[in-house]
Amino acid sequence: MDLMLAKVETENEIATVAEMASQIWFEYFVSIISKEQIAYMVEKFQFAPAMTEQIKRQGYEYYVMKAESRNVGYLAVREDEGKLFLSKFYIRKEERGKGYASQAMEQLTGRCKERKLASIWLTVNRHNHSAIAVYNKKGFETVKTQVADIGNGFVMDDYVMEKTIG
């Protein structure tokens, strides 16, 4: 099944992504971080006003991943010093394992080549072993670790991973 990346531009599209984000985050991350931190991060980074700010003022591009007419996930990217920062990359639970992550990564790699960007980089929670395994399989390597204070007593304890685009 072919995956399409549909650019998010309208308020309704942003609201759809925010709703999907909340569902995915509370389902997926509860085994990795506290519910309190999930709620804080969803409100700070995955809520419609935050996404609108990222799109309008911070150079982010959001995309809904669509298979047939279903929204299977979403991602957000931003060009950053000749590289592509993959800020968000989330797939709904019932859609995982169907090859959508691979198809999305292929499309992002193609966009990097078109835009003459050297690599794709991302941050991933150090305890998110399944995502790390997927990124390793897709050619990403851990380049450093970082702990970022995000406020309210919470930190993001991440690996920074990068994939060179040939």
Side-chain angles (χ1 to χ4, degrees), residues 3-142:
L3 183 78
M4 184 183 89
L5 297 182
K7 192 165 187 180
V8 173
E9 297 175 303
T10 69
E11 283 184 31
N12 282 346
E13 291 166 343
I14 292 169
T16 297
V17 173
E19 183 180 322
M20 200 177 353
S22 183
Q23 292 169 357
I24 292 170
W25 271 68
F26 279 98
E27 170 269 316
Y28 185 83
F29 285 102
V30 73
S31 65
I32 300 172
I33 57 178
S34 71
K35 286 182 181 174
E36 294 78 14
Q37 184 166 349
I38 294 168
Y40 177 77
M41 291 180 73
V42 165
E43 186 171 330
K44 187 170 175 84
F45 303 113
Q46 310 281 320
F47 205 48
M51 291 178 180
T52 301
E53 174 75 13
Q54 292 162 15
I55 292 167
K56 291 189 175 176
R57 292 183 184 69
Q58 298 174 22
Y60 285 86
E61 300 169 45
Y62 273 79
Y63 295 89
V64 173
M65 292 182 247
K66 291 183 172 282
E68 295 175 342
S69 59
R70 295 186 327 277
N71 293 338
V72 301
Y74 71 100
L75 60 86
V77 296
R78 179 177 55 112
E79 287 189 30
D80 178 57
E81 297 179 9
K83 300 177 180 184
L84 188 71
F85 173 43
L86 178 55
S87 172
K88 294 160 183 66
F89 190 59
Y90 302 106
I91 297 175
R92 290 179 185 268
K93 181 178 185 175
E94 63 274 12
E95 302 293 353
R96 293 181 200 137
K98 297 181 180 179
Y100 299 134
S102 296
Q103 289 182 54
M105 202 58 73
E106 286 172 20
Q107 291 183 43
L108 291 176
T109 299
R111 288 172 194 221
C112 283
K113 290 176 181 176
E114 289 168 11
R115 297 177 185 186
K116 299 186 178 7
L117 301 174
S119 64
I120 301 171
W121 70 278
L122 56 87
T123 60
V124 60
N125 184 294
R126 285 198 266 190
H127 303 289
N128 192 347
H129 304 294
S130 58
I132 292 166
V134 169
Y135 293 134
N136 282 326
K137 188 176 174 185
K138 303 294 173 216
F140 284 81
E141 295 179 4
T142 301

